[in-house]
Amino acid sequence: MAAPVDALEPVRAELLRTARAEAGAVLDRARAEAQETLRAARGAADRVLAAAREAGAADGAAAAAGERTRAAEDAWAAELAARAEVYADLRAGVRAGLRRALAEDAGARDRLVAVARGLLGAGARVTDAEGGGVVAEVPGRRVDLSADTLADRALDRTGALAEQLWERP
C-alpha cells in the first residue's frame, strides 16, 4: 500500500523555505549590525583612549611644570637662606673687628666723644657702650656711636655693593 499523499506538503515546504530564507536574512542583518556596532564601539574606545592619553599628557606636563616651579622656589629659598647666613657672618665679623679696633686704639673713645658732642652739643651726657664706642644723650635726642651700631651702619651703606658678594667670580 502506498503512503497517502499529503496535499499540503508543497505549501509546508514553501513556508519552511521562506522562513529559512527570512531567518537567514535576519541573521545576516543581525551579524552586520553587530559588526557595525563593534566597529563603532572600537572607534569610540580608540577616541576615548586617545583623549585619555592627551589628558594624561597634559596633566603630566602641568604636574612637571608645577614640580619645576616648586624646585625653583626651593632653590631660591635655599639661596636666600645661604645669603642671609653669609651676610650675618659678615656682619658679626665686621662688628668683632670694629670692637677690637676700638679696644686697641687708645684715642678712639676720645674721638667718638668729640663727634657725639659735636652733634648734640657740649652738654651731652656721654656713656660707654657695651662692646666699645659711646652713646650720647641730651633731652629729646640720642646719638649711638657704639661699635655694633657703627659696624651696622657701615654695612648698610654698602647697599648694592653687598650684592657683589653673590656674584660668581
Side-chain angles (χ1 to χ4, degrees):
M1 170 166 197
V5 175
D6 186 0
L8 293 177
E9 183 60 34
V11 173
R12 274 194 292 261
E14 183 59 27
L15 286 176
L16 186 58
R17 187 194 63 72
T18 302
R20 284 186 179 147
E22 287 178 9
V26 168
L27 186 57
D28 288 345
R29 281 193 308 272
R31 285 183 181 143
E33 287 177 13
Q35 287 177 349
E36 182 56 35
T37 300
L38 187 56
R39 273 193 297 276
R42 285 183 179 144
D46 289 344
R47 287 189 298 278
V48 167
L49 183 58
R53 283 186 180 131
E54 287 178 22
D59 288 349
E67 268 311 302
R68 283 191 299 275
T69 299
R70 278 188 291 284
E73 289 170 351
D74 290 348
W76 181 240
E79 181 176 343
L80 289 178
R83 285 182 180 194
E85 185 177 333
V86 168
Y87 195 75
D89 289 347
L90 174 64
R91 183 174 297 276
V94 170
R95 283 179 168 189
L98 187 53
R99 286 185 203 130
R100 214 174 16 261
L102 290 175
E104 293 171 359
D105 183 353
R109 183 185 184 285
D110 293 338
R111 288 191 301 277
L112 289 173
V113 169
V115 169
R117 288 205 167 119
L119 292 170
L120 296 179
R125 184 174 61 88
V126 179
T127 57
D128 290 328
E130 184 178 330
V134 296
V135 175
E137 295 180 79
V138 294
R141 293 178 59 205
R142 180 175 193 264
V143 172
D144 185 348
L145 299 175
S146 65
D148 288 349
T149 298
L150 292 172
D152 290 348
R153 285 183 192 153
L155 278 176
D156 290 344
R157 279 194 306 270
T158 62
L161 293 175
E163 284 297 313
Q164 293 176 354
L165 293 171
W166 322 125
E167 292 178 4
R168 290 189 167 90

Coordinates of all heavy atoms in Angstrom, one line a residue, residues 59-157:
D59 N 48.0 66.6 31.9 CA 48.2 66.5 33.4 C 49.6 66.3 33.8 O 50.1 67.0 34.7 CB 47.3 65.4 34.0 CG 45.8 65.7 33.9 OD1 45.5 66.9 33.6 OD2 45.0 64.8 34.1
G60 N 50.3 65.5 33.0 CA 51.7 65.2 33.3 C 52.6 66.5 33.1 O 53.4 66.8 33.9
A61 N 52.3 67.2 32.0 CA 53.0 68.4 31.7 C 52.7 69.5 32.8 O 53.6 70.1 33.2 CB 52.6 69.0 30.3
A62 N 51.5 69.5 33.2 CA 51.1 70.5 34.3 C 51.8 70.1 35.6 O 52.3 71.0 36.3 CB 49.6 70.6 34.5
A63 N 51.8 68.8 35.9 CA 52.5 68.4 37.1 C 54.0 68.7 37.1 O 54.6 69.1 38.0 CB 52.2 66.9 37.4
A64 N 54.6 68.4 35.9 CA 56.0 68.6 35.7 C 56.3 70.1 35.9 O 57.3 70.5 36.5 CB 56.5 68.1 34.4
A65 N 55.5 71.0 35.3 CA 55.7 72.4 35.4 C 55.6 72.8 36.9 O 56.4 73.7 37.3 CB 54.7 73.2 34.5
G66 N 54.6 72.3 37.6 CA 54.5 72.6 39.0 C 55.7 72.1 39.8 O 56.2 72.8 40.7
E67 N 56.2 70.9 39.4 CA 57.4 70.5 40.1 C 58.6 71.4 39.8 O 59.4 71.7 40.7 CB 57.7 69.0 39.7 CG 57.2 67.9 40.5 CD 57.4 68.1 42.0 OE1 58.5 68.2 42.5 OE2 56.4 68.1 42.7
R68 N 58.7 71.8 38.6 CA 59.8 72.7 38.2 C 59.7 74.0 39.0 O 60.7 74.5 39.5 CB 59.9 73.0 36.7 CG 60.4 71.8 35.9 CD 60.7 72.2 34.4 NE 59.5 72.6 33.7 CZ 58.7 71.8 33.1 NH1 58.9 70.5 33.2 NH2 57.6 72.2 32.5
T69 N 58.5 74.5 39.1 CA 58.3 75.8 39.8 C 58.6 75.6 41.3 O 59.3 76.4 41.9 CB 56.8 76.2 39.7 OG1 56.5 76.4 38.3 CG2 56.5 77.5 40.5
R70 N 58.1 74.5 41.9 CA 58.5 74.2 43.3 C 60.0 74.0 43.5 O 60.5 74.5 44.5 CB 57.7 73.0 43.8 CG 56.3 73.3 44.2 CD 55.6 72.1 44.9 NE 55.4 71.0 44.0 CZ 54.4 70.9 43.1 NH1 53.6 71.9 43.0 NH2 54.2 69.9 42.3
A71 N 60.6 73.4 42.6 CA 62.1 73.2 42.7 C 62.8 74.5 42.6 O 63.8 74.8 43.4 CB 62.6 72.2 41.6
A72 N 62.4 75.4 41.7 CA 63.0 76.7 41.5 C 62.8 77.5 42.8 O 63.7 78.2 43.3 CB 62.4 77.4 40.3
E73 N 61.5 77.4 43.4 CA 61.3 78.2 44.6 C 62.1 77.6 45.8 O 62.6 78.4 46.6 CB 59.8 78.1 44.9 CG 58.9 78.9 44.0 CD 57.4 78.6 44.2 OE1 57.0 77.6 44.9 OE2 56.6 79.3 43.6
D74 N 62.2 76.3 45.8 CA 63.0 75.7 46.9 C 64.5 76.1 46.7 O 65.2 76.5 47.7 CB 62.9 74.2 46.9 CG 61.6 73.7 47.3 OD1 60.8 74.5 47.9 OD2 61.3 72.5 47.1
A75 N 65.0 76.1 45.5 CA 66.4 76.5 45.3 C 66.6 78.0 45.6 O 67.6 78.4 46.3 CB 66.7 76.3 43.8
W76 N 65.6 78.9 45.3 CA 65.7 80.3 45.6 C 65.7 80.5 47.1 O 66.4 81.3 47.7 CB 64.6 81.1 44.9 CG 64.7 82.5 45.2 CD1 63.7 83.3 45.8 CD2 65.7 83.4 44.9 NE1 64.1 84.6 45.8 CE2 65.3 84.7 45.3 CE3 67.0 83.3 44.3 CZ2 66.1 85.9 45.1 CZ3 67.8 84.4 44.1 CH2 67.4 85.7 44.6
A77 N 64.8 79.8 47.8 CA 64.7 79.9 49.3 C 66.1 79.4 49.9 O 66.5 80.0 50.8 CB 63.6 79.0 49.8
A78 N 66.6 78.3 49.4 CA 67.9 77.9 49.9 C 69.0 78.9 49.6 O 69.9 79.1 50.5 CB 68.3 76.5 49.2
E79 N 69.0 79.5 48.5 CA 70.0 80.5 48.2 C 69.8 81.7 49.1 O 70.8 82.3 49.6 CB 69.9 81.0 46.7 CG 71.0 82.0 46.3 CD 71.0 82.4 44.9 OE1 70.4 81.7 44.0 OE2 71.6 83.4 44.6
L80 N 68.6 82.1 49.3 CA 68.4 83.3 50.2 C 68.8 83.0 51.6 O 69.4 83.8 52.3 CB 66.9 83.7 50.1 CG 66.4 84.4 48.9 CD1 64.9 84.7 48.9 CD2 67.2 85.6 48.6
A81 N 68.5 81.7 52.0 CA 68.9 81.4 53.4 C 70.5 81.4 53.5 O 71.0 81.8 54.5 CB 68.4 80.0 53.7
A82 N 71.1 80.9 52.4 CA 72.6 80.9 52.4 C 73.1 82.3 52.4 O 74.1 82.6 53.1 CB 73.1 80.1 51.2
R83 N 72.5 83.2 51.6 CA 72.9 84.6 51.6 C 72.7 85.2 53.0 O 73.6 86.0 53.4 CB 72.1 85.4 50.6 CG 72.5 85.1 49.1 CD 71.6 86.0 48.2 NE 71.9 85.7 46.8 CZ 71.5 86.5 45.9 NH1 70.8 87.6 46.1 NH2 71.9 86.2 44.6
A84 N 71.6 85.0 53.6 CA 71.3 85.5 54.9 C 72.4 85.1 55.9 O 72.9 85.9 56.7 CB 69.9 85.2 55.4
E85 N 72.8 83.8 55.8 CA 73.8 83.3 56.8 C 75.1 83.9 56.5 O 75.8 84.3 57.4 CB 73.9 81.7 56.6 CG 74.8 81.1 57.6 CD 74.8 79.6 57.4 OE1 73.8 79.0 56.9 OE2 75.8 79.0 57.7
V86 N 75.5 84.0 55.2 CA 76.8 84.7 54.9 C 76.8 86.1 55.4 O 77.8 86.6 55.9 CB 77.1 84.6 53.4 CG1 78.2 85.5 53.0 CG2 77.3 83.1 53.0
Y87 N 75.7 86.8 55.1 CA 75.6 88.2 55.5 C 75.7 88.4 57.0 O 76.3 89.3 57.5 CB 74.3 88.9 54.9 CG 74.4 90.4 55.0 CD1 75.2 91.1 54.1 CD2 73.6 91.1 55.9 CE1 75.2 92.5 54.1 CE2 73.7 92.5 56.0 CZ 74.5 93.2 55.1 OH 74.5 94.6 55.2
A88 N 75.0 87.5 57.7 CA 75.0 87.5 59.2 C 76.5 87.3 59.7 O 76.9 87.9 60.6 CB 74.1 86.5 59.8
D89 N 77.1 86.3 59.0 CA 78.5 86.1 59.4 C 79.4 87.3 59.1 O 80.3 87.7 59.9 CB 79.1 84.9 58.7 CG 78.5 83.5 59.1 OD1 77.9 83.5 60.2 OD2 78.7 82.5 58.4
L90 N 79.2 87.9 58.0 CA 79.9 89.1 57.6 C 79.7 90.2 58.7 O 80.6 90.9 59.2 CB 79.5 89.6 56.2 CG 80.1 91.0 55.8 CD1 81.6 90.9 55.7 CD2 79.5 91.4 54.5
R91 N 78.4 90.4 59.0 CA 78.0 91.5 60.0 C 78.7 91.2 61.3 O 79.3 92.1 62.0 CB 76.5 91.5 60.2 CG 76.0 92.6 61.2 CD 74.5 92.7 61.2 NE 74.0 93.1 59.9 CZ 73.8 94.4 59.5 NH1 74.2 95.4 60.3 NH2 73.3 94.6 58.3
A92 N 78.7 89.9 61.8 CA 79.3 89.6 63.0 C 80.8 89.8 63.0 O 81.4 90.3 63.9 CB 79.0 88.1 63.4
G93 N 81.4 89.5 61.8 CA 82.9 89.7 61.7 C 83.2 91.2 61.7 O 84.2 91.6 62.3
V94 N 82.4 92.0 61.0 CA 82.7 93.5 61.0 C 82.5 94.0 62.4 O 83.3 94.8 62.9 CB 81.8 94.2 60.0 CG1 81.8 95.7 60.1 CG2 82.1 93.7 58.5
R95 N 81.5 93.6 63.1 CA 81.3 94.1 64.5 C 82.4 93.7 65.3 O 83.0 94.5 66.1 CB 80.0 93.5 65.1 CG 78.7 94.1 64.6 CD 77.5 93.4 65.2 NE 76.3 94.2 65.0 CZ 75.1 93.9 65.5 NH1 75.0 92.8 66.3 NH2 74.1 94.6 65.3
A96 N 82.9 92.4 65.3 CA 84.0 92.0 66.1 C 85.3 92.7 65.7 O 86.0 93.1 66.6 CB 84.2 90.5 65.9
G97 N 85.5 93.0 64.5 CA 86.7 93.7 64.0 C 86.7 95.1 64.5 O 87.7 95.7 65.0
L98 N 85.5 95.8 64.5 CA 85.4 97.2 65.0 C 85.6 97.2 66.5 O 86.2 98.1 67.0 CB 84.1 97.8 64.5 CG 84.0 99.3 64.8 CD1 85.2 100.1 64.3 CD2 82.7 99.9 64.3
R99 N 85.0 96.3 67.2 CA 85.2 96.2 68.7 C 86.7 96.1 69.0 O 87.2 96.8 69.9 CB 84.4 95.1 69.3 CG 82.9 95.3 69.4 CD 82.3 94.1 70.1 NE 80.9 94.0 69.7 CZ 80.3 92.9 69.3 NH1 81.0 91.7 69.3 NH2 79.0 92.9 69.0
R100 N 87.3 95.2 68.3 CA 88.8 95.0 68.5 C 89.5 96.3 68.2 O 90.4 96.7 69.0 CB 89.2 93.9 67.6 CG 90.3 93.0 68.2 CD 90.7 91.8 67.3 NE 90.3 91.7 65.9 CZ 89.2 91.1 65.4 NH1 88.4 90.4 66.3 NH2 88.9 91.1 64.2
A101 N 89.2 96.9 67.1 CA 89.9 98.1 66.7 C 89.7 99.2 67.7 O 90.7 100.0 68.1 CB 89.4 98.6 65.3
L102 N 88.5 99.4 68.2 CA 88.2 100.4 69.2 C 89.0 100.1 70.5 O 89.5 101.0 71.2 CB 86.7 100.6 69.5 CG 85.9 101.2 68.4 CD1 84.4 101.2 68.7 CD2 86.4 102.6 68.1
A103 N 89.0 98.8 70.9 CA 89.7 98.4 72.1 C 91.2 98.7 72.0 O 91.9 99.0 73.0 CB 89.5 97.0 72.4
E104 N 91.8 98.5 70.8 CA 93.2 98.7 70.6 C 93.7 100.1 70.4 O 94.8 100.4 70.6 CB 93.7 97.8 69.4 CG 93.5 96.3 69.7 CD 93.8 95.5 68.4 OE1 94.0 96.0 67.4 OE2 93.7 94.2 68.6
D105 N 92.7 101.0 70.0 CA 93.1 102.4 69.7 C 92.7 103.2 70.9 O 91.6 103.5 71.2 CB 92.3 102.8 68.5 CG 92.6 104.3 68.1 OD1 93.4 105.0 68.8 OD2 92.1 104.7 67.0
A106 N 93.8 103.7 71.6 CA 93.6 104.4 72.9 C 92.8 105.8 72.7 O 92.1 106.2 73.5 CB 94.9 104.7 73.6
G107 N 93.0 106.4 71.5 CA 92.3 107.7 71.3 C 91.0 107.5 70.6 O 90.3 108.6 70.4
A108 N 90.5 106.3 70.3 CA 89.2 106.2 69.6 C 88.1 106.7 70.4 O 87.2 107.4 69.9 CB 89.0 104.7 69.2
R109 N 88.1 106.4 71.7 CA 87.0 106.8 72.6 C 86.9 108.3 72.6 O 85.8 108.9 72.5 CB 87.1 106.3 74.0 CG 85.9 106.7 74.9 CD 86.1 106.3 76.3 NE 84.9 106.6 77.1 CZ 84.5 107.8 77.5 NH1 85.2 108.9 77.2 NH2 83.4 108.0 78.2
D110 N 88.0 109.0 72.7 CA 88.0 110.5 72.8 C 87.5 111.1 71.5 O 86.7 112.0 71.5 CB 89.4 111.0 73.1 CG 89.9 110.7 74.5 OD1 89.0 110.4 75.3 OD2 91.1 110.6 74.7
R111 N 87.8 110.5 70.3 CA 87.3 111.0 69.0 C 85.8 110.8 68.9 O 85.1 111.6 68.4 CB 88.1 110.3 67.9 CG 89.5 110.7 67.8 CD 90.2 110.2 66.5 NE 90.2 108.8 66.3 CZ 91.2 108.0 66.9 NH1 92.1 108.5 67.6 NH2 91.1 106.7 66.7
L112 N 85.3 109.6 69.4 CA 83.9 109.4 69.4 C 83.1 110.3 70.3 O 82.0 110.8 69.9 CB 83.6 107.9 69.7 CG 84.0 106.9 68.7 CD1 83.8 105.5 69.3 CD2 83.2 107.1 67.4
V113 N 83.7 110.6 71.5 CA 83.1 111.6 72.4 C 83.0 113.0 71.7 O 82.0 113.7 71.8 CB 83.8 111.7 73.7 CG1 83.4 112.9 74.6 CG2 83.6 110.4 74.5
A114 N 84.1 113.4 71.0 CA 84.1 114.6 70.3 C 83.1 114.7 69.2 O 82.4 115.7 69.1 CB 85.5 114.9 69.7
V115 N 82.9 113.6 68.5 CA 81.9 113.6 67.4 C 80.5 113.7 68.1 O 79.6 114.4 67.6 CB 82.0 112.2 66.6 CG1 80.8 112.1 65.7 CG2 83.3 112.3 65.8
A116 N 80.2 113.0 69.1 CA 78.9 113.0 69.8 C 78.6 114.4 70.3 O 77.5 114.9 70.1 CB 78.9 112.0 70.9
R117 N 79.6 115.0 70.9 CA 79.3 116.4 71.5 C 79.2 117.4 70.3 O 78.5 118.4 70.4 CB 80.4 116.8 72.4 CG 80.3 116.0 73.7 CD 80.9 116.6 74.9 NE 80.5 116.0 76.1 CZ 81.3 115.4 77.0 NH1 82.6 115.4 76.8 NH2 80.8 114.8 78.1
G118 N 79.9 117.1 69.2 CA 79.7 118.0 68.0 C 78.3 117.9 67.5 O 77.8 118.9 67.0
L119 N 77.7 116.7 67.6 CA 76.3 116.5 67.1 C 75.3 117.0 68.0 O 74.2 117.6 67.6 CB 76.1 115.0 66.8 CG 76.9 114.5 65.6 CD1 76.7 112.9 65.5 CD2 76.4 115.1 64.3
L120 N 75.5 116.8 69.4 CA 74.5 117.1 70.4 C 74.8 118.4 71.2 O 73.9 118.8 71.9 CB 74.3 115.9 71.3 CG 73.7 114.7 70.6 CD1 73.6 113.5 71.7 CD2 72.4 114.9 69.9
G121 N 76.0 118.8 71.2 CA 76.4 120.0 72.0 C 77.3 119.5 73.1 O 77.3 118.4 73.5
A122 N 78.0 120.5 73.7 CA 79.0 120.2 74.7 C 78.3 119.7 76.0 O 79.0 119.0 76.8 CB 79.7 121.5 75.1
G123 N 77.0 119.9 76.2 CA 76.4 119.5 77.4 C 75.8 118.0 77.3 O 75.2 117.5 78.3
A124 N 76.2 117.4 76.3 CA 75.6 116.0 76.1 C 76.2 115.1 77.1 O 77.4 115.2 77.5 CB 76.0 115.5 74.7
R125 N 75.4 114.2 77.7 CA 75.9 113.2 78.6 C 76.3 112.0 77.8 O 75.6 111.4 77.0 CB 74.7 112.8 79.5 CG 75.2 111.8 80.6 CD 74.0 111.5 81.6 NE 72.8 110.9 81.1 CZ 72.7 109.6 80.9 NH1 73.6 108.7 81.3 NH2 71.5 109.1 80.4
V126 N 77.6 111.6 77.9 CA 78.2 110.5 77.2 C 78.5 109.4 78.1 O 79.1 109.5 79.1 CB 79.5 111.0 76.5 CG1 80.2 109.9 75.7 CG2 79.2 112.2 75.6
T127 N 78.1 108.1 77.6 CA 78.4 106.9 78.4 C 79.0 105.9 77.4 O 78.8 105.9 76.2 CB 77.1 106.3 79.0 OG1 76.2 106.0 77.9 CG2 76.5 107.2 80.0
D128 N 79.8 105.0 78.1 CA 80.5 104.0 77.3 C 79.4 102.9 76.9 O 78.5 102.6 77.7 CB 81.6 103.3 78.1 CG 82.8 104.2 78.3 OD1 83.0 105.0 77.4 OD2 83.4 104.1 79.3
A129 N 79.5 102.5 75.6 CA 78.6 101.4 75.1 C 79.2 100.1 75.4 O 80.4 99.9 75.3 CB 78.3 101.6 73.6
E130 N 78.3 99.1 75.6 CA 78.8 97.7 75.8 C 79.4 97.3 74.5 O 78.9 97.4 73.4 CB 77.6 96.8 76.1 CG 78.1 95.4 76.4 CD 76.9 94.5 76.8 OE1 75.9 95.0 77.4 OE2 77.0 93.3 76.6
G131 N 80.6 96.7 74.5 CA 81.3 96.3 73.3 C 82.2 97.3 72.7 O 82.8 97.1 71.7
G132 N 82.2 98.5 73.2 CA 83.0 99.6 72.6 C 82.2 100.7 72.0 O 81.0 100.5 71.7
G133 N 82.8 101.9 72.0 CA 82.1 103.1 71.5 C 81.4 103.8 72.6 O 81.6 103.5 73.8
V134 N 80.6 104.8 72.2 CA 79.8 105.6 73.2 C 78.4 105.8 72.7 O 78.1 105.7 71.5 CB 80.6 106.9 73.4 CG1 82.0 106.7 74.0 CG2 80.6 107.8 72.1
V135 N 77.6 106.2 73.7 CA 76.2 106.7 73.4 C 76.1 108.1 74.1 O 76.5 108.2 75.3 CB 75.2 105.7 74.0 CG1 73.8 106.2 73.8 CG2 75.3 104.3 73.4
A136 N 75.6 109.0 73.4 CA 75.5 110.4 74.0 C 74.0 110.8 73.9 O 73.3 110.4 73.0 CB 76.3 111.4 73.2
E137 N 73.6 111.6 75.0 CA 72.2 112.0 75.0 C 72.0 113.4 75.6 O 72.8 113.9 76.4 CB 71.4 111.1 76.0 CG 71.3 109.6 75.5 CD 70.6 108.7 76.5 OE1 69.3 108.8 76.5 OE2 71.2 108.0 77.3
V138 N 71.0 114.1 75.0 CA 70.5 115.3 75.6 C 69.0 115.1 75.6 O 68.5 114.3 74.9 CB 70.9 116.6 74.7 CG1 72.4 116.8 74.7 CG2 70.4 116.5 73.3
P139 N 68.3 115.9 76.3 CA 66.8 115.7 76.4 C 66.2 115.8 74.9 O 66.5 116.7 74.2 CB 66.4 116.9 77.2 CG 67.5 117.3 78.1 CD 68.7 117.0 77.3
G140 N 65.6 114.7 74.6 CA 64.9 114.5 73.3 C 65.7 114.0 72.2 O 65.2 113.8 71.1
R141 N 67.0 113.8 72.4 CA 67.9 113.4 71.3 C 68.9 112.4 71.8 O 69.4 112.5 73.0 CB 68.6 114.6 70.7 CG 67.7 115.5 70.0 CD 68.3 116.7 69.4 NE 69.3 116.4 68.4 CZ 70.3 117.2 68.1 NH1 70.4 118.4 68.7 NH2 71.2 116.9 67.2
R142 N 69.3 111.5 70.9 CA 70.3 110.5 71.3 C 71.2 110.1 70.1 O 70.7 110.0 69.0 CB 69.5 109.2 71.8 CG 70.4 108.1 72.2 CD 69.5 107.0 72.8 NE 70.2 106.0 73.5 CZ 70.7 104.8 73.0 NH1 70.4 104.5 71.7 NH2 71.4 104.0 73.7
V143 N 72.4 110.0 70.4 CA 73.4 109.5 69.3 C 74.0 108.3 69.8 O 74.6 108.2 70.8 CB 74.4 110.6 69.0 CG1 75.5 110.1 68.1 CG2 73.8 111.9 68.5
D144 N 73.9 107.2 68.9 CA 74.5 105.9 69.2 C 75.8 105.7 68.4 O 75.7 105.5 67.2 CB 73.5 104.8 69.0 CG 74.0 103.4 69.4 OD1 75.2 103.3 69.7 OD2 73.2 102.5 69.4
L145 N 76.9 105.8 69.0 CA 78.2 105.6 68.3 C 78.9 104.3 68.9 O 80.1 104.3 69.0 CB 79.1 106.8 68.5 CG 78.5 108.1 67.9 CD1 79.5 109.3 68.2 CD2 78.3 108.0 66.4
S146 N 78.0 103.3 69.2 CA 78.6 102.1 69.7 C 79.2 101.3 68.6 O 78.9 101.5 67.4 CB 77.4 101.2 70.3 OG 76.5 100.8 69.3
A147 N 80.1 100.4 68.9 CA 80.8 99.6 67.9 C 79.8 98.9 67.0 O 79.9 98.9 65.7 CB 81.8 98.6 68.6
D148 N 78.8 98.2 67.6 CA 77.8 97.4 66.8 C 77.0 98.3 65.9 O 76.8 98.0 64.7 CB 76.9 96.6 67.7 CG 77.6 95.5 68.4 OD1 78.8 95.2 68.0 OD2 77.0 94.9 69.3
T149 N 76.6 99.5 66.3 CA 75.8 100.4 65.5 C 76.6 101.0 64.4 O 76.2 101.1 63.2 CB 75.2 101.5 66.4 OG1 74.3 100.9 67.4 CG2 74.4 102.5 65.5
L150 N 77.9 101.4 64.7 CA 78.8 101.9 63.7 C 79.0 100.8 62.6 O 79.0 101.1 61.4 CB 80.1 102.4 64.3 CG 79.9 103.6 65.1 CD1 81.3 103.9 65.9 CD2 79.5 104.8 64.3
A151 N 79.3 99.6 63.0 CA 79.5 98.5 62.1 C 78.3 98.2 61.2 O 78.4 98.1 60.0 CB 79.9 97.2 62.8
D152 N 77.1 98.2 61.8 CA 75.8 98.0 61.1 C 75.6 99.1 60.1 O 75.2 98.9 58.9 CB 74.7 97.9 62.0 CG 74.7 96.6 62.9 OD1 75.4 95.7 62.6 OD2 73.9 96.6 63.8
R153 N 75.8 100.4 60.5 CA 75.7 101.5 59.5 C 76.6 101.4 58.4 O 76.3 101.7 57.2 CB 75.9 102.8 60.3 CG 74.7 103.2 61.2 CD 75.0 104.6 61.8 NE 74.1 104.8 62.9 CZ 74.3 105.6 63.9 NH1 75.5 106.2 64.0 NH2 73.4 105.8 64.8
A154 N 77.9 101.0 58.7 CA 78.9 100.9 57.6 C 78.4 99.8 56.6 O 78.5 100.0 55.4 CB 80.2 100.5 58.2
L155 N 77.9 98.7 57.1 CA 77.4 97.6 56.2 C 76.2 98.1 55.4 O 76.1 97.8 54.2 CB 77.1 96.3 57.0 CG 78.3 95.4 57.3 CD1 77.9 94.3 58.1 CD2 79.0 94.9 56.0
D156 N 75.3 98.8 56.1 CA 74.1 99.2 55.4 C 74.4 100.2 54.3 O 73.7 100.2 53.3 CB 73.1 99.9 56.4 CG 72.5 98.9 57.4 OD1 72.6 97.6 57.1 OD2 72.0 99.3 58.5
R157 N 75.4 101.0 54.5 CA 75.8 102.0 53.5 C 76.4 101.3 52.2 O 76.5 101.9 51.2 CB 76.8 103.0 54.0 CG 76.2 104.1 54.8 CD 77.1 105.3 55.1 NE 78.4 104.9 55.7 CZ 78.6 104.8 57.0 NH1 77.6 105.2 57.9 NH2 79.8 104.5 57.5

